[in-house]
Amino acid sequence: MKVISQIKLPVEKEMELFEKKFFESMSSKVALLNRITHYIVNRKGKQMRPMFVFLVAKMVSEGSVNERTYRGASVIELIHTATLVHDDVVDDSNRRRGFFSINALWKNKIAVLVGDYLLSKGLLLSIDNNDFDLLKIISVAVKEMSEGELLQIEKARRLDITEAIYYDIIRQKTATLIAACCSLGAASVKPESNEIAKMRRFGELIGMAFQIKDDLFDYGTQKIGKPTGIDIKEQKMTLPLIYVLNNVSKKESDWVINSIKNHNKDRKRVREVIDFVRDKGGLDYAVKRMKEFQREALIILEDYPESPYKESLELMVNYVIERKK
């Protein structure tokens, strides 16, 4: 059995019902919108976010979920989908998960409006049901994701990212959404409990490990959905690179920075940078930090009694750093 199917097993029924509710939550009286949202729903990915919501909710409440859990999962998926649609416009990207992106098929103007529509549907789903605590969790996540993206853009221009700033960026850009899923799951079944902050931290740690794993793919040789060296070509400062820049001579770091700034389209030079980072221990250091985040996440789970939901979350933590793409 595939790992994702195994992780999903204890919440399979909930995920089936969620898909129906999620599709309903997107509906509109505008035929064009319905056509686009139908296209989005039929090209869904692994659905890790709703899985986190249901698994956490069931783990902290000894197996129960409620309507708030379903709404929380729908809201996070609506808002996440909105950010992806907008991201594709920002990045001028024509593909998403191997399919054409919304902006490629329907142009930027429609893609931006669809993103706005999904965002407002998510907000209204919470407001109409007085789920203000859930809405706050999601709104904080959206704010942080935007700040993280802008911080990365600002720093990429100067290539002066320290390790601490890098963690700030990935915490906001990637980890905050997984943290929101986990805290939403807890808040949906145990409002105002200590579990909410605890599960937020758990999700944050998984998100940090997830992003570092993504950074490592850029130095890999196997095909993994994105071409090797793309982060260097896009002047993105990732952990292996930051570590090396802070631990080599000025002459060497000047060569790396010059390569990234002025020769990032030169395939041979990019390859040399990749080899240099690997030789100087950048990848080993990143793997070490990733495993520290993984360990810390697993320690949080130790506080909970054994259950299929806890087992799935442990599997998820391990899958995040062992995945091949």
Side-chain angles (χ1 to χ4, degrees):
M1 189 188 286
K2 279 190 167 174
V3 181
I4 295 294
S5 309
Q6 215 176 328
I7 292 167
K8 196 178 183 176
L9 214 52
V11 290
E12 211 157 27
K13 286 210 300 281
E14 286 80 5
M15 289 295 288
E16 275 173 32
L17 184 52
F18 158 74
E19 282 192 29
K20 290 195 190 95
K21 288 175 182 278
F22 179 56
F23 189 63
E24 284 162 16
S25 69
M26 277 184 162
S27 67
S28 150
K29 293 189 177 77
V30 179
L32 173 62
L33 250 175
N34 285 336
R35 202 154 69 241
I36 296 170
T37 54
H38 188 75
Y39 178 82
I40 290 168
V41 168
N42 285 337
R43 277 144 194 82
K44 61 185 182 292
K46 298 186 188 84
Q47 293 192 300
M48 307 283 262
R49 282 155 297 279
M51 250 187 272
F52 271 122
V53 175
F54 290 116
L55 286 169
V56 167
K58 293 188 95 170
M59 180 182 75
V60 302
S61 68
E62 289 164 21
S64 64
V65 295
N66 54 33
E67 280 304 313
R68 266 165 58 87
T69 318
Y70 285 100
R71 286 198 297 271
S74 291
V75 170
I76 205 97
E77 208 55 353
L78 280 165
I79 289 178
H80 174 63
T81 308
T83 61
L84 292 183
V85 171
H86 283 163
D87 275 355
D88 287 338
V89 174
V90 170
D91 297 339
D92 201 14
S93 173
N94 291 324
R95 311 287 287 185
R96 166 72 58 185
R97 297 189 187 117
F99 295 98
F100 283 114
S101 58
I102 304 302
N103 49 304
L105 292 173
W106 285 281
K107 303 289 177 258
N108 283 351
K109 186 176 182 178
I110 288 175
V112 170
L113 293 169
V114 168
D116 291 347
Y117 172 77
L118 295 172
L119 192 61
S120 62
K121 281 296 253 188
L123 300 177
L124 284 168
L125 185 59
S126 295
I127 292 164
D128 291 346
N129 291 284
N130 293 326
D131 296 329
F132 296 110
D133 56 337
L134 305 186
L135 183 57
K136 185 171 183 184
I137 290 170
I138 291 154
S139 302
V140 167
V142 174
K143 172 183 102 58
E144 290 200 330
M145 282 158 70
S146 311
E147 283 177 346
E149 285 285 358
L150 288 164
L151 178 59
Q152 185 174 46
I153 291 166
E154 178 195 325
K155 293 295 176 185
R157 285 179 181 154
R158 297 208 299 271
L159 297 182
D160 64 346
I161 296 184
T162 61
E163 198 171 326
I165 290 172
Y166 165 81
Y167 292 134
D168 274 348
I169 290 171
I170 68 166
R171 185 185 56 75
Q172 292 179 309
K173 254 189 70 178
T174 305
T176 194
L177 191 66
I178 301 174
C181 295
C182 296
S183 50
L184 265 180
S188 71
V189 289
K190 288 196 164 181
E192 294 176 35
S193 69
N194 295 335
E195 312 293 343
I196 300 168
K198 204 164 159 182
M199 285 296 104
R200 180 181 167 76
R201 178 64 183 152
F202 169 73
E204 200 172 82
L205 291 161
I206 295 178
M208 302 288 273
F210 182 92
Q211 186 57 55
I212 295 173
K213 179 68 173 183
D214 248 22
D215 290 355
L216 287 163
F217 282 145
D218 205 45
Y219 294 86
T221 45
Q222 72 259 62
K223 284 204 163 180
I224 28 202
K226 65 173 184 174
T228 299
I230 200 165
D231 288 340
I232 292 168
K233 286 171 196 151
E234 291 177 359
Q235 301 191 18
K236 279 187 191 158
M237 297 291 280
T238 57
L239 187 56
L241 196 56
I242 292 163
Y243 171 79
V244 167
L245 286 174
N246 290 327
N247 288 279
V248 295
S249 68
K250 177 144 186 353
K251 188 182 170 192
E252 287 171 318
S253 74
D254 286 348
W255 172 80
V256 172
I257 287 171
N258 177 39
S259 303
I260 294 167
K261 271 191 172 167
N262 305 313
H263 305 280
N264 57 8
K265 302 286 185 282
D266 177 342
R267 287 170 72 172
K268 182 172 174 284
R269 190 73 169 256
V270 168
R271 186 77 249 162
E272 284 169 6
V273 172
I274 288 172
D275 291 341
F276 182 78
V277 170
R278 186 183 281 122
D279 294 345
K280 294 291 179 182
L283 303 195
D284 294 339
Y285 180 75
V287 168
K288 186 176 127 215
R289 294 295 286 131
M290 175 178 76
K291 288 187 172 169
E292 283 167 13
F293 286 122
Q294 176 207 26
R295 264 196 306 277
E296 218 183 309
L298 290 171
I299 286 167
I300 292 174
L301 292 181
E302 285 173 8
D303 293 348
Y304 294 90
E306 291 307 315
S307 71
Y309 324 112
K310 177 181 167 176
E311 266 174 50
S312 277
L313 286 167
E314 285 169 343
L315 256 181
M316 185 85 95
V317 176
N318 295 325
Y319 166 75
V320 156
I321 73 162
E322 285 159 14
R323 65 201 165 97
K324 297 287 183 278
K325 61 178 181 178

